[in-house]
Each structure stands twice: as C-alpha cells, then as structure tokens.
Amino acid sequence: ITPANTDYPITEKKGYLFVGRLESAKGIELLLEAWKSLPSHFELTLIGKGNDEEKLKLRYVASNITFLGQLPHEQTLAYIAKAKYLVHTS
C-alpha cells in the first residue's frame, strides 16, 4: 500500500516529540523532571521556544533530551512524521 502523501516517506518511527511553547503553563517542567529519571533509550526531542527556554536548557541537560528551538513548519512536520510518539503536556 502506498500512502497518498509521499512528502514524508514512511520510515521506522522512533523517539518522543514535544512541539509547543517552552513555558511552565504548558507543563513542560513536569515532563522534563520525569524524563530525567528514564533510561537513556527514551529519547525526547523538543521543538519550540518560550519564556522558559534558556532556563530549561540549562536545567535539563541529559543525553536523552534534545532541545531544537523553533524550526520552520516543514522541518517540524518532518520531525513529527519520524516520531513514534507525540507528547502533549497541556
């Protein structure tokens, strides 16, 4: 079966992805605090910016947490297509 939209070819999906504002009101600190205690094979990528972005980048440094900042729409869609799970905190 061939997917109707081939802009983002189906590949093996992996990892967890958060896309949104990096602000306390979004529950992002709770997510990151919990993520710190997970084994390193649980990889979380965060796309977005916000008032707490720099503070979070400094506080949550871990091999399984990657901050990408704000990305262009097309690049964000490509990350979504590759992610196994999308994480929504609010």
Side-chain angles (χ1 to χ4, degrees):
I1 298 176
T2 304
N5 182 350
T6 57
D7 290 343
Y8 306 103
I10 296 176
T11 59
E12 181 181 343
K13 295 182 177 282
K14 68 178 235 175
Y16 297 77
L17 180 66
F18 171 88
V19 178
R21 287 190 333 252
L22 300 179
E23 297 180 4
S24 297
K26 300 295 280 181
I28 192 70
E29 285 192 74
L30 180 61
L31 171 66
L32 291 169
E33 197 61 41
W35 217 270
K36 284 191 333 184
S37 66
L38 294 175
S40 63
H41 68 275
F42 287 95
E43 297 176 8
L44 175 64
T45 301
L46 299 102
I47 297 175
K49 66 178 188 174
N51 295 336
D52 297 334
E53 181 179 1
E54 293 307 314
K55 176 182 81 168
L56 295 171
K57 285 181 178 179
L58 293 173
R59 185 171 180 190
Y60 297 99
V61 177
S63 64
N64 62 338
I65 298 174
T66 304
F67 291 90
L68 297 179
Q70 184 174 357
L71 298 178
H73 182 73
E74 287 297 314
Q75 198 172 356
T76 300
L77 290 177
Y79 273 95
I80 290 170
K82 294 177 193 172
K84 188 163 188 172
Y85 301 100
L86 294 177
V87 179
H88 299 277
T89 58
S90 59

